[in-house]
Amino acid sequence: MTATKRVRLSPEARRAQLIELGVEMLATRRLDELSVELIAQTAGISRGLLFHYFSSKQDFHVEVARAAAAAMIERTEPDTSLPPVEALRGALSRFIDYVEENPDNYKSLVRGAASADLEMRAIFDHTRATMAQRVIDVIGELGLELSDRAVLAVHGWVAYVEECVIRWTESRTFGREQLLEMLTKSLPAVALSASDDEVGTLVSILTAHTAIGG
């Protein structure tokens, strides 16, 4: 990545540019390896000027993580024009694509959950909660209202999906379609652990669908 000629930008535009560069660099390195020196050089500004827009290196990293999480959430938005189960499967497929293309980027977000920095943990928690709520919304489209236990099961399923996809990108001991099938089928299995009547109905609907039960 080569340095660009310095261009005069508004403070808001320069800050957005620096965050965007940081997100781009996450495709090939972990968040804790993100160099403010390289960011400044690429943007055509001094290292000191970068800290005019961010109070510290950690502040910069938090904003990059926030932007990366937002990009992932936007990319994996379910297609509401599709039937609920197909929308869920499509969102899962795009999530796998995202992690495949940005393995270090996503692992940086996951590691943020273990960070002592409360802002980093909040970003990760919000990301996971958004993904879980999407599943709950898809289930709602089927006319079902989940109990508190079933909602908890869905949140646990999101964590399961994350771990499986990250490990799969590292090993690839079986095919992508097999991974997608496993993850999709696992939702009714996990939800069934809540053992409420409405979850039993959900399992019947999901497993009867050819995309899952085939």
Side-chain angles (χ1 to χ4, degrees), residues 16-120:
Q17 178 203 35
L18 294 170
I19 292 172
E20 182 180 358
L21 286 173
V23 173
E24 289 177 2
M25 290 184 181
L26 281 185
T28 57
R29 69 203 75 201
R30 299 193 310 268
L31 184 61
D32 57 6
E33 296 174 337
L34 200 58
S35 165
V36 294
E37 289 80 7
L38 182 56
I39 291 286
Q41 179 186 18
T42 305
I45 64 173
S46 68
R47 182 181 188 278
L49 186 56
L50 185 143
F51 292 111
H52 174 74
Y53 303 102
F54 304 94
S55 61
S56 65
K57 180 178 179 179
Q58 179 63 15
D59 179 39
F60 175 64
H61 283 181
V62 165
E63 293 307 316
V64 169
R66 196 188 313 279
M72 188 278 294
I73 288 173
E74 180 180 5
R75 180 167 172 181
T76 57
E77 179 76 29
D79 183 351
T80 55
S81 69
L82 297 174
V85 178
E86 291 181 22
L88 174 62
R89 185 179 176 89
L92 271 174
S93 181
R94 290 189 293 278
F95 175 69
I96 295 171
D97 289 342
Y98 181 87
V99 179
E100 278 193 282
E101 296 167 17
N102 304 275
D104 291 331
N105 179 324
Y106 194 76
K107 281 185 280 188
S108 290
L109 293 179
V110 172
R111 274 194 294 273
S115 170
D117 186 277
L118 295 180
E119 288 185 285
M120 291 293 291

